[in-house]
Amino acid sequence: MSAPAPLIINGVEIRDSFAEAFPMAGTRLIITADTPRWAHTAAASLTGFATSVIGCGCEAAIEREIPAAETPDGRPGYAVLIFAMSLKDLKKIVPLRAGQCVLTSPTSALYAGLQGGAAVPLGKALRYFGDGHQISKNLGGSRIWRIPVMEGEFVCDEIVGSTTAAVGGGNFLILARSRPAALAAAEAAVAAMGQVRGAIMPFPGGVVRSGSKVGSKYAGLIASSNEAYCPTLRGIAKTALPAEVESVLEIVIDGLSEGEVADSMRAGITAVCGLGAAGGVVAVDAGNYGGNLGPFHFKLHQLMAPVSGATPEAGR
Amino acid sequence: MSGFRLTLKAPLAARVDASSLLPAALAGANVADVAARSLPFGTGTALLGDLFAVEATEQDGLVISGDRRLDHVGAGMTAGEVRIEGSVGAAAGAGMSGGRLTISGDAGDGLAAGLSGGRIEVFGNAGDRVGGPQPGERQGMRGGVVSIAGSVGDGLGARLRGGLILVGGNAGTCAADGLLAGTLAIAGRLGPGAGRGMKRGTVLVATAPDALAPGFIEAGPQDFIALKLLARRVPDLAALFGGQLSGRAVRLVGNRLAGGEGEILVLN
């Protein structure tokens, strides 16, 4: 059996690898405010410190800006996605963050951005802040809560729907000739992936530089530096980097479904390939753990086949 | 055949209890079966076919001629549609939990008493005690939507527990008496004595009420985001007040004499 044909797009090698992802519970929230600035502030606060379930308990980010005409109350808004490892965790983390980051944010209101699935409490939990003065309204097919605050009233939906078909940990690695080239490629990827609805990149600016492997030499540490992709460890540890690669950045994707993660990855890798070898990009790889971490395997060759025009290899 | 048209042969000479004229109750019957049914008529009964000309229709639901002596139309309805061409008597839509009742004329007293779901539209006026309790009940309407294009009589929304009542015209005296929850919206004037014993819930009015029951305190004006939200989620509500709600309103809280924390929002 011959070795699989290499897949090269615009001088960028797409490695015959796969991203290994796992099931999550997720939901979408819509935050509005009097101005886009304050809607963004509340959304950024809600999704702060939510890069990885490893240390944050959830993964969250802004999905997109929503024009005022499309929001529930006609004010500027943002949609955010938030994911946790279980529905139980999601039901705990969503009201906690909403209470600390949206209820507190000037002029904000909080609405359900996802219907169906298990109900995750919003106003159902936050209403008690009203100390008995809270008001509910059950009109138009859903219940809202009005909670008196010093500024006026905080309005939010009682519940938001959820999905347990969400997928976390989609990813790809950008192997570049230089740090600036890696960063430019990552920025291009994030910009393109931002157009895909239903998926987010939870790390800072959508990019993670500290891709990890499972486990550590230190007891109690469940993740540690992925030395195979650390350019400064070439020669010390087993490396996955060719000699010309000086810098690697990773983009991690969470989505409300497997398809949205795939769409996001494809959009990102396509943007990276758009910069091509001329942009200092050498290869695109993906992080996996031998297939033992999660049931979702996003195979790069299959993913990029529609873009490259190549026939994907048969399943690995 | 999906529905029936019941056309009155002559104006009713006595009150008729029409609560059995429901889409579900007549489903599957033929014209002869329907005509052979009896209805409470005055102190006795009458055959439906003696009062109405019965005709099968292609459209689902029932279309019934109106008469001010026709009581309890749509009462207890759970699904389907009843359309009344003309006016009706008392207790239209009482105890409805689903479906749609449309009345092209006026409705008598007790419209939507004890309503728990569904939608009632009245294109004329309605009498007293719209959305109040059914006889023997402690609480009034607790769900659904009632829309009245014209004015209503006294006692609108007494002991209302939920749902939405929209009044395009004026409301008589003593609206929202003992109101527990839910929403009243009145585009015209709210008559005197409103809000006596009001516990919670919301009354939306376009203009300052004439004279509320004692026990209300003005909390001042406010930009209510909830009103902007409701204007988009409940188009009927926005339409009642001219197509949109600015969100700005003066909040009157009461009835404090009853320890209540209901609100009357006077829209600006």
Side-chain angles (χ1 to χ4, degrees):
Chain A
M1 187 175 167
S2 60
L7 178 58
I8 310 286
I9 302 175
N10 199 20
V12 176
E13 178 197 359
I14 308 298
R15 288 188 169 173
D16 187 18
S17 183
F18 66 97
E20 189 174 355
F22 43 86
M24 296 188 93
T27 190
R28 177 189 285 118
L29 303 174
I30 295 170
I31 297 166
T32 64
D34 280 357
T35 63
R37 175 195 165 191
W38 282 106
H40 185 270
T41 298
S45 181
L46 177 74
T47 57
F49 187 56
T51 55
S52 169
V53 288
I54 293 173
C56 309
C58 70
E59 299 181 4
I62 292 172
E63 181 191 25
R64 68 182 181 110
E65 185 174 3
I66 306 179
E70 296 176 21
T71 64
D73 60 19
R75 300 186 302 157
Y78 282 86
V80 306
L81 300 183
I82 184 163
F83 299 90
M85 290 305 288
S86 69
L87 194 56
K88 184 181 174 186
D89 289 347
L90 193 71
K91 288 180 176 180
K92 184 178 171 186
I93 208 93
V94 167
L96 187 66
R97 283 176 174 259
Q100 296 301 309
C101 305
V102 185
L103 166 67
T104 55
S105 184
T107 78
S108 70
L110 180 64
Y111 305 112
L114 195 66
Q115 308 296 331
V120 173
L122 296 178
K124 191 174 184 179
L126 303 180
R127 61 182 160 144
Y128 296 107
F129 185 75
D131 201 24
H133 303 294
Q134 66 272 23
I135 298 168
S136 83
K137 281 274 157 252
N138 189 5
L139 293 176
S142 63
R143 184 178 295 279
I144 63 164
W145 284 95
R146 297 162 50 196
I147 301 169
V149 289
M150 295 194 301
E151 169 225 51
E153 281 185 346
F154 171 61
V155 176
C156 67
D157 276 322
E158 177 170 71
I159 55 165
V160 58
S162 65
T163 176
T164 52
V167 173
N171 70 81
F172 62 91
L173 304 167
I174 302 164
L175 282 55
R177 290 182 179 276
S178 68
R179 201 164 74 211
L183 190 60
E187 287 175 349
V190 168
M193 296 162 81
Q195 304 303 310
V196 178
R197 294 192 185 177
I200 54 163
M201 294 74 73
F203 281 93
V207 188
V208 52
R209 70 170 179 182
S210 56
S212 60
K213 67 176 183 298
V214 176
S216 163
K217 66 182 282 188
Y218 301 107
L221 204 56
I222 61 171
S224 62
S225 198
N226 193 351
E227 57 263 66
Y229 290 90
C230 292
T232 58
L233 297 182
R234 215 168 357 216
I236 300 172
K238 185 181 177 186
T239 188
L241 304 181
E244 67 268 33
V245 171
E246 282 188 13
S247 189
V248 178
L249 288 174
E250 181 177 0
I251 297 181
V252 172
I253 304 104
D254 297 333
L256 292 174
S257 72
E258 186 178 4
E260 284 154 340
V261 172
D263 290 345
S264 180
M265 285 180 64
R266 188 181 297 111
I269 297 171
T270 301
V272 168
C273 292
L275 296 175
V281 181
V282 175
V284 172
D285 205 340
N288 63 68
Y289 309 91
N292 298 319
L293 180 73
F296 301 103
H297 297 171
F298 296 95
K299 297 171 183 172
L300 298 186
H301 279 194
Q302 285 188 0
L303 206 61
M304 296 308 293
V307 178
S308 68
T311 304
E313 290 292 315
R316 289 162 57 106
Chain B
M1 184 180 74
S2 300
F4 294 96
R5 173 181 282 275
L6 308 179
T7 306
L8 274 174
K9 292 178 174 176
L12 294 173
R15 304 206 78 85
V16 168
D17 180 346
S19 56
S20 62
L21 301 181
L22 299 176
L26 301 185
N30 58 36
V31 168
D33 291 338
V34 172
R37 296 192 179 206
S38 64
L39 291 174
F41 179 73
T43 56
T45 60
L47 288 178
L48 194 148
D50 290 342
L51 302 176
F52 295 92
V54 181
E55 180 187 351
T57 61
E58 291 296 322
Q59 280 192 322
D60 285 341
L62 303 179
V63 180
I64 306 173
S65 298
D67 189 293
R68 291 182 189 277
R69 286 178 164 160
L70 195 62
D71 297 333
H72 292 99
V73 292
M77 183 159 58
T78 57
E81 182 169 5
V82 174
R83 284 194 291 133
I84 305 295
E85 294 179 342
S87 298
V88 296
M96 251 176 71
S97 59
R100 186 183 185 107
L101 171 63
T102 309
I103 298 165
S104 69
D106 299 334
D109 295 344
L111 174 73
L115 190 82
S116 61
R119 182 181 178 88
I120 299 175
E121 287 184 66
V122 178
F123 289 89
N125 301 313
D128 296 342
R129 301 184 303 282
V130 174
Q134 293 207 76
E137 296 285 330
R138 294 174 62 86
Q139 297 183 348
M141 169 176 155
R142 58 185 187 278
V145 177
V146 181
S147 174
I148 301 140
S151 295
V152 300
D154 300 335
L156 168 69
R159 300 198 65 79
L160 189 80
R161 185 67 185 82
L164 172 66
I165 301 178
L166 304 154
V167 179
N170 303 321
T173 63
C174 300
D177 193 283
L179 191 142
L180 300 161
T183 305
L184 301 180
I186 299 125
R189 298 210 58 91
L190 179 61
R196 188 176 63 126
M198 188 172 169
K199 297 286 195 298
R200 303 284 289 209
T202 302
V203 180
L204 285 165
V205 290
T207 55
D210 292 335
L212 291 176
F216 278 83
I217 296 167
E218 183 177 327
Q222 183 62 234
D223 289 312
F224 288 96
I225 292 162
L227 291 180
K228 293 183 177 183
L229 173 68
L230 293 177
R232 295 169 84 90
R233 285 196 176 167
V234 190
D236 288 344
L237 194 59
L240 188 74
F241 295 108
Q244 60 180 10
L245 293 175
S246 72
R248 189 149 185 87
V250 173
R251 186 171 194 251
L252 307 169
V253 184
N255 191 312
R256 300 304 299 151
L257 293 179
E261 214 172 305
E263 62 182 358
I264 294 176
L265 299 180
V266 183
L267 306 172
N268 287 25

